[in-house]
């Protein structure tokens, strides 16, 4: 991140209206680097073709999901009313946790107000100053922030390198160790080598924590997630976090794992104890989507198929598209400014795509990021590829 110049050590007192003048300087530096970000409101029924959201299974507007959300709000109210340990746990929360755990093949689950909060909880509650955390260099910001808050020593391992993870674990002097990785990395959509990571962790007495935000609903049998696909679901040394805001079309997050891990988080995790519970409407929507996925497991297969089709057709069009392991496809842009303009031109042409620039991309390469939604038709896939190719920088 570009930083403004430092103020003199013994600066004179500032007038009240000047204390935030440094923010203008910082904004100007970001603008010069092509890193300005703005909010854009969208209508409820956006006419553009959506490849920008994380609605991997196309469930966010599904009648079964929206009806479940509405029914939950009508029955339980607009909010959870308090912390989960006070008044914020409804029977609906408990129902969702039980069905999530059963679906993903683990002993227990604990629902949080966001996937971000779930990651902070797991990393801060399952570590201490005598723990070494070995974290993949491309991990999501929520995992990075959890590492920073953990009070543990953190080793930043090279991306997708189980051998380097094993080497760091072998050299540790700490009593405990935790290996941390996304299951599917959100920029390019490549999957971590979970069997190798698990083997490295077990060889050195470490636990494994994986963020399956982009795997749940897409990978594994019937969309049960990357740990299930790797044969790690329900293992006593493995914990997974998930979000309810992607494949399940709702909001919130959860930690999945051994019952004693969930009990420990319930009693010690600050983002659980001191946060208001997830709103009933979000709980109801997630539960409705989960039940729909269980009834229609082919939705996961279709999401992966759409990703493969997008990648292949974009590559045929001469673009630098990633080879997806799940439902994320990225297309490289030459500069941050070009990526922003490319995304804007796509929208003008009726296609919404994501735009990832530093610091969101760990390798510094700006991209368009496409969501391979499972409800896209072959005609829509072709339309999207033609639009991206026609608006590409230099065309």
């Amino acid at each position: 991140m570009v930083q403004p110049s430092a103020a003199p050590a013994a600066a004179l007192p500032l007038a009240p209206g000047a204390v935030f003048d440094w923010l203008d300087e910082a904004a100007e530096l970001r603008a010069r680097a092509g890193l300005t970000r703005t909010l854009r409101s969208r209508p409820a029924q956006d006419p553009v073709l959506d490849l920008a959201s994380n609605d991997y299974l196309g469930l966010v507007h599904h009648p079964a999901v929206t009806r479940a959300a509405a029914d939950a709000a009508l029955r339980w109210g607009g909010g959870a009313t308090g912390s989960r340990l006070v008044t914020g746990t409804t029977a609906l929360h408990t129902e969702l946790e039980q069905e999530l755990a059963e679906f993903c093949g683990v002993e227990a689950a604990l629902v949080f107000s966001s996937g971000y909060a779930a990651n902070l909880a797991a990393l801060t509650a399952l570590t201490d100053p005598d723990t070494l955390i070995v974290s993949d260099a491309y991990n999501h910001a929520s995992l990075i922030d959890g590492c920073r808050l953990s009070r543990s020593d953190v080793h930043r391992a090279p991306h997708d390198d189980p051998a380097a993870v094993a080497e760091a674990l072998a050299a540790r002097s700490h009593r405990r160790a935790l290996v941390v990785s996304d299951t599917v990395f959100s920029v390019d959509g490549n999957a971590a080598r979970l069997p190798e990571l698990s083997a490295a962790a077990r060889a050195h007495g470490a636990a494994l924590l994986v963020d399956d935000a982009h795997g749940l609903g897409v990978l594994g049998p019937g969309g049960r997630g990357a740990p299930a696909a790797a044969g790690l679901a329900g293992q006593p040394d493995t914990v997974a976090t998930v979000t309810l805001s992607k494949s399940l079309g709702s909001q919130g997050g959860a930690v999945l794992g051994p019952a004693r891990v969930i009990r420990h988080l319930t009693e010690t995790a600050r983002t659980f104890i001191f946060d208001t519970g997830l709103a009933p409407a979000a709980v109801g929507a997630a539960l409705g989507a989960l039940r729909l996925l269980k009834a229609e497991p082919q939705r996961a297969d279709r999401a992966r198929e759409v990703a493969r089709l997008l990648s292949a057709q974009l590559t045929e069009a001469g673009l630098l598209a990633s080879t997806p392991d799940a439902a994320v496809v990225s297309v490289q842009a030459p500069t941050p400014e070009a990526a922003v303009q490319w995304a804007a031109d796509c929208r003008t042409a009726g296609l919404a795509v994501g735009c990832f620039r530093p610091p969101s991309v760990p390798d510094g390469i700006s991209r368009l990021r496409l969501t391979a939604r499972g409800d896209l038709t072959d005609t829509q896939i072709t339309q999207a590829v033609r639009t991206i190719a026609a608006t590409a920088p230099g065309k």
Side-chain angles (χ1 to χ4, degrees), residues 3 39 156 221 284 286 298 376:
Q3 297 290 345
L39 294 172
R156 186 172 181 265
Q298 68 275 11
L376 292 179

Side-chain angles (χ1 to χ4, degrees), residues 312-356:
Q313 292 183 27
L314 288 165
T315 300
E316 289 173 5
L319 300 171
L320 295 175
S322 64
T323 300
D325 290 324
V328 175
V329 179
S330 71
V331 189
Q332 291 189 14
T335 65
E337 295 86 352
V340 172
Q341 188 59 52
W342 196 358
D345 290 343
C346 282
R347 172 163 282 278
T348 299
L351 176 68
V353 296
C355 178
F356 276 31

